[in-house]
């Protein structure tokens, strides 16, 4: 009897504290396009590391990554 | 209008820095900023909400006021957290200014002196102009200056308390010991007289939010603070008379009528 292992086709990641499933080949830019809102004034961190906009296209996502999309808000 | 003032390479008139939180409405926030005469307003960061566009609406409205923005790291509890928040703020607000807050105590929101100094050193190395929110501790302030700060923002009292200057002596010592540093009293002010008191001590400016935003009439209170800051600063420049222990008549005694003269 042989046991066959199949590679998962999706990744489980966190987007602003909410779990989402994405295709394992999905890029960061595609995630933002699909799950982000229309507001383009934002900054982004993954696993508490700031990712400059100029680097978005080079980022590949891993299972369990925590993406934080940050927008302006009122402050004192 | 007060005398011209240079802060972080930026010439401004107003010595009142204003926060943008807690107003009854975005429109009253904008009216209050205008009424205050402030040139600089503080802003913050939060998770983008996919359910609503409120953050963007606030942002567009604030941009329309034309004030210079000073992003903060409110809510950060460690140097690492404050550093990556500052990095995001720099990109988002397109400024290397950062009001650095690293809170060490939940009860009175007291800054963590050690984490603040650690984050300050790293952010200055990364090219930020750091506005550290600190206590009035002289040693901490001196170490922040050695780290490269030319602006310090000691608290008047814990954030949002409205208690005014709870330790005027310590603030006065800071002013005397750090004469070439821009000193801004940040947090704890409740009434315009508190702002005037800080300015009379020779502080360069005050930063406040709750005292205006939580007033019954925020726009009118913004005007009141504007005048208090100008009055306090001009009083400092004019030179306040020394306090005396004994009374001294202000009316000249020469030429007094005979019935006031004895014998």
């Amino acid at each position: 009897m042989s046991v066959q292992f199949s590679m998962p086709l999706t990744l489980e990641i966190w987007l602003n504290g909410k779990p989402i499933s994405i295709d394992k080949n999905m890029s960061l830019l595609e995630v933002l396009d699909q799950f982000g809102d229309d507001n383009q004034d934002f900054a982004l961190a993954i696993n508490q590391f700031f990712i400059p906009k100029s680097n978005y296209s080079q980022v590949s996502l891993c299972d369990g990554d925590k993406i934080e999309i940050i927008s302006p808000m009122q402050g004192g | 209008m007060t005398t011209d003032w240079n802060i972080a390479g930026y010439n401004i008139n107003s010595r009142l820095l204003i926060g943008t939180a807690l107003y009854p409405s975005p429109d009253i926030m904008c009216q209050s900023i205008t009424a205050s005469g402030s040139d600089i307003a503080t802003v913050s960061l939060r998770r983008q909400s996919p359910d609503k566009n409120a953050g963007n609406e606030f942002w567009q409205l604030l941009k329309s006021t034309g004030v210079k923005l000073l992003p903060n790291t409110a809510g950060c509890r460690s140097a690492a957290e404050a550093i990556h928040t500052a990095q995001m703020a720099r990109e988002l607000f397109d400024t290397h200014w950062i009001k650095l807050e690293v809170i060490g105590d939940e009860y009175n929101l007291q800054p963590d002196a050690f984490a603040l100094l650690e984050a300050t050193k790293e952010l200055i190395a990364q090219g930020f102009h750091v506005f550290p929110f600190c206590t009035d501790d002289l040693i901490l302030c001196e170490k922040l200056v050695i780290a490269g700060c030319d602006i310090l923002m000691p608290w008047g009292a814990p954030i949002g308390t409205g208690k005014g200057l709870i330790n005027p002596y310590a603030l006065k010592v800071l002013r005397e010991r750090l004469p070439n540093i821009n000193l801004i009293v940040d947090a704890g002010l409740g009434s315009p007289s508190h702002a005037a008191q800080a300015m009379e001590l020779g502080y360069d400016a005050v930063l406040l939010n709750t005292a205006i935003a939580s007033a019954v009439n925020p726009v009118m209170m913004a005007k009141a603070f504007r005048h208090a800051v100008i009055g306090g600063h001009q009083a400092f420049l004019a030179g306040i008379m020394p306090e005396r222990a004994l009374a001294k008549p202000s009316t000249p005694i020469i030429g007094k009528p005979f019935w006031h003269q004895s014998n």
Side-chain angles (χ1 to χ4, degrees), chain B residues 66-79:
Chain B
V67 290
K68 173 90 175 160
L69 298 178
L70 173 59
N72 69 27
T73 62
C76 291
R77 299 290 189 274
S78 69

Side-chain angles (χ1 to χ4, degrees), chain B residues 1-70:
Chain B
M1 180 175 164
T2 58
T3 52
D4 281 347
W5 179 41
N6 184 285
I7 184 163
Y10 194 74
N11 284 318
I12 59 175
N13 291 320
S14 175
R15 291 170 180 269
L16 170 59
L17 287 70
I18 191 168
T20 55
L22 303 173
Y23 292 89
S25 71
D27 184 48
I28 290 178
M29 176 196 76
C30 285
Q31 288 182 49
S32 299
I33 291 171
T34 303
S36 73
S38 295
D39 298 304
I40 298 173
T42 51
V43 288
S44 195
L45 307 167
R46 71 167 173 194
R47 274 181 177 169
Q48 193 175 79
S49 168
D51 303 324
K52 53 185 179 182
N53 211 24
N56 190 37
E57 185 187 351
F58 155 75
W59 177 227
Q60 297 307 325
L61 202 55
L62 186 59
K63 280 200 282 193
S64 72
T65 65
V67 290
K68 173 90 175 160
L69 298 178
L70 173 59

Side-chain angles (χ1 to χ4, degrees), chain A residues 50-67:
Chain A
F50 166 63
I51 309 294
K53 273 196 166 65
S54 55
N55 289 0
Y56 287 180
S57 61
Q58 300 158 31
V59 172
S60 54
L61 295 168
C62 300
D63 205 41
D65 275 348
K66 293 182 172 63
I67 302 174

